[in-house]
Amino acid sequence: MPVPVPHQRTVVLPHQAGPVDDAHAPDAQVAGAPGAGAATDRSAPAPEAAAGRNVPATEPLLGEQQVPAERGPVNQGLTLLLIGEDPNSHVPDMWDWAGRKVRLRTARNLTEAERLLTDDVHCILLDLSPAEPADRDPRAGTGDELGMLRKVLRMAPSHAVLVLTYETDAERAADAVRVGAQDYLFRDELDGAVLSRAVRYAVERKRADLAQRQLTESRMLAQENARLERGLLPTPLLDGSDLRFAACYRPGRSRALLGGDFYDTVRTPDGTVHAMIGDVCGHGPDEAALGVELRIAWRALTFAGLSGDELLATLQKVLEHERSDDEIFATLCTVDISADGHRAGLSLAGHPAPLLARAGLPPQLLPYEFGGPALGLLPNARWPRRQVELGASWSLMMYTDGLIEGRIGKSNQRLGQEGMTELVGRRMAAGLRGEELLDAAVREVRDLNGGELTDDVAVLLLDRR
């Protein structure tokens, strides 16, 4: 809607606008004075040259608020780009809050406008009106004018755009706002006060629209990423097994669902349950993607019948081909539990040994000495596979080093595997099992650390009772 003309008010432009040249012309120059017939950049003198405009040089106004003197002069103003066939189209004089005239640039066409559309332009005034109202045929369509507006909007998507026309073209002016202009002005009622207020409104509305659009795009991107990351988290395949599965996963990255840690559990047709947990060095998005690739490769290779040294050697080849840097490596722990649940084959590739709690006994760490190097460190490495007796009733906890590298209070002492073993044993003695046990253990580790853990944490628990 057009902005009504204010009466008996001194209007100046907002100080939030962009920079304006300090240089002032020695003599007053009317903005609508004839130019050279080409793209121009017009400035104006200091406030004392604006006699008769009621703009006091000693008391500058911002809207209706006086700017505190202690702020001192601020070299800020607003730049307006006028696009119209008549380069001498009259635009009322406008003054910034310090009493300096607003910079005005004029362009006859889009070619000139594109050259003048620099970063310090804050608003575009597109003149859609002919030189005289009588020049316009009321039977003519609006396609050409709105087509010009659409081109301006494509050329300057981050700039505020106002359209200027006659009051008899109110319908076309409303269509311009529908197409994308921030507002419209009628030439018949245009003066400095109206233009000042309309420009300020258009600039702030455009800023708000851009901020809202960026916020919406960020939210949509976050939702898409969240859906993608949830889809990449594993779904255990344990149909037909009497083992109970629980997992806890917390990425170290802020506002992320997936980190460089990865795990998986599947049951093959022969009844063997295969479990794996691993950790790619680092915890950025690239490491998270590599962890997903290794997990998927492990599942495919496991269903293909590979295990132990052969499986880990193949995973190392996958890592070497997929990593972005030769310094990237991954640790891994694999467990193959027999169909009767009494025995397991354990393979370690630079990874912490699992924690085993047999019925009636405190939890203890499985031997680590027989393990091999992390994947990606040594060519032609070997990873021995060791048999472990589990018994009839047991709990096996596999974890990444994010769980044991947290600090204890304000000291430099780490929790370590011994501290973790004592902590989990205490929670088990209190009767906690499954996800309740894992959540309580991770929560206590975080509390001991004095805040959130900075590294990714993944914990996997298998129970047979």
Side-chain angles (χ1 to χ4, degrees), residues 222-404:
Q223 291 172 357
E224 291 176 359
N225 289 339
R227 286 194 295 268
L228 176 61
E229 291 182 341
R230 288 192 189 98
L232 294 176
L233 289 173
T235 300
L237 301 178
L238 292 174
D239 293 343
S241 173
D242 60 353
L243 301 184
R244 292 185 297 178
F245 171 89
C248 180
Y249 192 94
R250 294 192 181 186
R253 289 186 297 141
S254 176
R255 297 188 298 274
L257 295 177
L258 202 62
D261 291 0
F262 54 98
Y263 67 89
D264 204 352
T265 305
V266 297
R267 181 175 183 266
T268 49
D270 62 358
T272 303
V273 172
H274 306 264
M276 172 271 291
I277 194 166
D279 182 3
V280 177
C281 65
H283 41 267
D286 291 338
E287 289 77 10
L290 182 56
V292 172
E293 291 180 275
L294 291 175
R295 180 187 67 78
I296 295 174
W298 175 87
R299 177 175 284 201
L301 294 171
T302 298
F303 279 122
L306 276 66
S307 63
D309 186 75
E310 186 181 12
L311 185 148
L312 292 174
T314 307
L315 285 179
Q316 174 158 284
K317 292 180 181 179
V318 174
L319 172 66
E320 291 171 345
H321 284 87
E322 297 296 333
R323 62 186 176 184
S324 58
D325 190 290
D326 289 342
E327 302 298 322
I328 299 295
F329 63 90
T331 65
L332 199 70
C333 170
T334 67
V335 175
D336 307 320
I337 303 171
S338 61
D340 61 10
H342 289 198
R343 293 170 304 279
L346 174 64
S347 298
L348 296 175
H351 199 87
L355 189 67
L356 176 63
R358 297 184 178 91
L361 298 175
Q364 60 180 3
L365 292 169
L366 293 179
Y368 173 79
E369 292 77 11
F370 62 88
L375 302 181
L377 290 183
L378 299 176
N380 303 318
R382 302 300 299 271
W383 296 271
R385 184 169 180 264
R386 179 167 180 170
Q387 287 293 324
V388 177
E389 291 295 329
L390 300 177
S393 180
W394 47 265
S395 295
L396 183 68
M397 191 179 87
M398 307 165 66
Y399 54 92
T400 57
D401 58 7
L403 184 67
I404 59 177

Side-chain angles (χ1 to χ4, degrees), residues 13 89 97 107 120 125 145 148 201 253 266 280 305 309 318 370 386 407 417 419 424 453 459:
L13 290 176
S89 177
W97 70 273
D120 60 339
L125 182 61
E145 293 83 356
M148 179 73 166
Y201 168 79
R253 289 186 297 141
V266 297
V280 177
D309 186 75
V318 174
F370 62 88
R386 179 167 180 170
R407 301 184 183 275
Q417 290 178 291
V424 172
L453 301 169
V459 190

Side-chain angles (χ1 to χ4, degrees), residues 1-2 128 142 146 149 163-186 205:
M1 294 180 61
L128 298 182
T142 63
L146 294 185
L149 173 60
V163 294
L164 181 64
T165 185
Y166 284 102
E167 189 170 2
T168 54
D169 291 328
E171 184 177 353
R172 178 172 56 155
D175 289 340
V177 174
R178 176 181 54 80
V179 169
Q182 270 61 58
D183 205 346
Y184 60 85
L185 297 170
F186 291 142
R205 179 179 176 183

Side-chain angles (χ1 to χ4, degrees), residues 4 74 88 104 113 148 151 185 187 207 241-243 264 282 395 402 436 445:
V74 179
N88 304 318
L104 176 65
M148 179 73 166
K151 292 178 181 179
L185 297 170
R187 178 185 290 274
R207 288 175 180 169
S241 173
D242 60 353
L243 301 184
D264 204 352
S395 295
E436 187 180 12
V445 171

